[in-house]
Amino acid sequence: MGVVITALLVSCGGSGGGSSPSVTQSSPPSTNVTSVVLDSGPAGTTGIVNVPYVTVTVCRPGTSVCQTIDHILLDTASTGLRIIVPGVFNGSLALPAVTDGSNNPVSECAVFASGFTYGSVHRADIKISGETALNVPIEEIGDTNAPFNTIPPDCSSSGADQGTVAAFGANGVLGVGLFAQDCGSACVNTVIPATYYGCTTSCSGIKLPLASQVTNPVTAFTTDNNGVALVLPTVPNTGMTTLAGSLIFGIGTQSNNGLGTSTIYAADSSGYFDTTYKGTLMASSFLDSGSNGLFFNDGTITLCTVSTGFYCPATPATLSATNASYLGGSPGTIHFTIVNLDALSGAVIAAPIGGQASGISGFDWGLPFFFGRTVFVALEGTSTPGGVGPFWAY
């Protein structure tokens, strides 16, 4: 029970029926808020717990030829829009390809803690609620058009292939994390393994300018472009069978997205801040709506027998940790609870669960952290009433 979708790991730091592929004319609403839902996932998925979904509209740049796609995973710890092609994406959109310096089409390997996605990179206009990002690079996951039908070895060896709806638990992912591009300056200056490729009959690693990298669409909004706020209700220990919240664009740009009394936690150039748990400092910690549990290591908590890798205490485990900016400062205490995932009803889609950290050295504050909070994600280099990003605040 449960699907684990965790943060994008880039070495350079940085009950729905699913989407019916169809080309439509779009008419966006006029607000900076879009709905976030937790449900049993798109068609073809099972065991979905703690996966937040949003709906996006993707258009051929400069046109009204668009496709609206639901059940896109909302992820505060990755960057950019990635859509699974098989069974979801409408190829008749004919999005223009991103090309490298030799005019070859570009592909990308995005490595997550739970596996990888691989696909071609194209440009699209992205519409979410009343916000529009024009001509933004996105990844088309599982694009089998030549020359993308062979996954490069350094990508395929990086973990499990997450390139289907069933494997990913979503029709794609919208990364609204701390950074503008998913790799940044490192990929401009160096060929980073298992990242970007230029493709002819096969694909080889390349450097890539910032403007061609998969991009956080929030940075391309005309306004409300300095970050986001995710708002979710409180979830009891017994879990919930349905849940709805909001993703608000901008920080301090409108009356509905002020920081208020939130505490700011500055992040380093990789998006990390400090968490101390049971006396152990973990300086590579982060807030991650794309992970479906709180992931950390504690040998005193009983592990599940069915939900491998998760914790299953006999009674709810009440725990605490402290968070602090990577620069130091006054720590803030977080009290949290871990419940027995194996004992939850199969109808539960939201619950305070956790498990062992794998492939990461910090505390992965996954979706249960967001329950009952407004969490702000301030983009790198942008100004907000709380200072310049990147920072988290809650």
Side-chain angles (χ1 to χ4, degrees), residues 47-137:
I48 298 297
V49 180
N50 290 349
V51 180
Y53 298 109
V54 294
T55 296
V56 303
T57 297
V58 178
C59 304
R60 188 186 306 156
T63 77
S64 58
V65 180
C66 306
Q67 181 185 2
T68 297
I69 305 172
D70 60 20
H71 285 95
I72 300 292
L73 168 68
L74 176 65
D75 189 7
T76 59
S78 71
T79 297
L81 178 62
R82 307 169 194 279
I83 298 172
I84 291 175
V85 171
V88 177
F89 198 66
N90 193 334
S92 64
L93 287 176
L95 300 180
V98 169
T99 56
D100 63 13
S102 300
N103 205 35
N104 296 316
V106 170
S107 66
E108 184 184 20
C109 180
V111 181
F112 295 78
S114 53
F116 70 88
T117 64
Y118 177 75
S120 54
V121 182
H122 290 77
R123 291 189 177 275
D125 292 347
I126 302 169
K127 301 180 180 183
I128 311 172
S129 185
E131 309 281 1
T132 300
L134 299 176
N135 206 32
V136 173

Side-chain angles (χ1 to χ4, degrees), residues 284-297:
S284 300
S285 301
F286 51 96
L287 306 184
D288 181 9
S289 67
S291 285
N292 69 337
L294 305 178
F295 291 99
F296 59 101
N297 293 312

Side-chain angles (χ1 to χ4, degrees), residues 98 123 135-137 181 188 208-215:
V98 169
R123 291 189 177 275
N135 206 32
V136 173
Q181 289 84 28
V188 175
L208 198 66
L210 293 177
S212 297
Q213 295 181 26
V214 171
T215 298

Side-chain angles (χ1 to χ4, degrees), residues 38-39 53-54 63 85 101 113 116 138 158 161 170 239 255 280 289 307 322 383 385:
L38 278 71
D39 59 22
Y53 298 109
V54 294
T63 77
V85 171
F116 70 88
I138 70 171
S158 61
D161 187 349
S255 60
T280 299
S289 67
S307 305
T322 58
S383 296

Side-chain angles (χ1 to χ4, degrees), residues 309-332:
F310 284 85
Y311 294 126
C312 281
T315 58
T318 302
L319 307 165
S320 66
T322 58
N323 290 337
S325 296
Y326 88 99
L327 295 171
S330 300

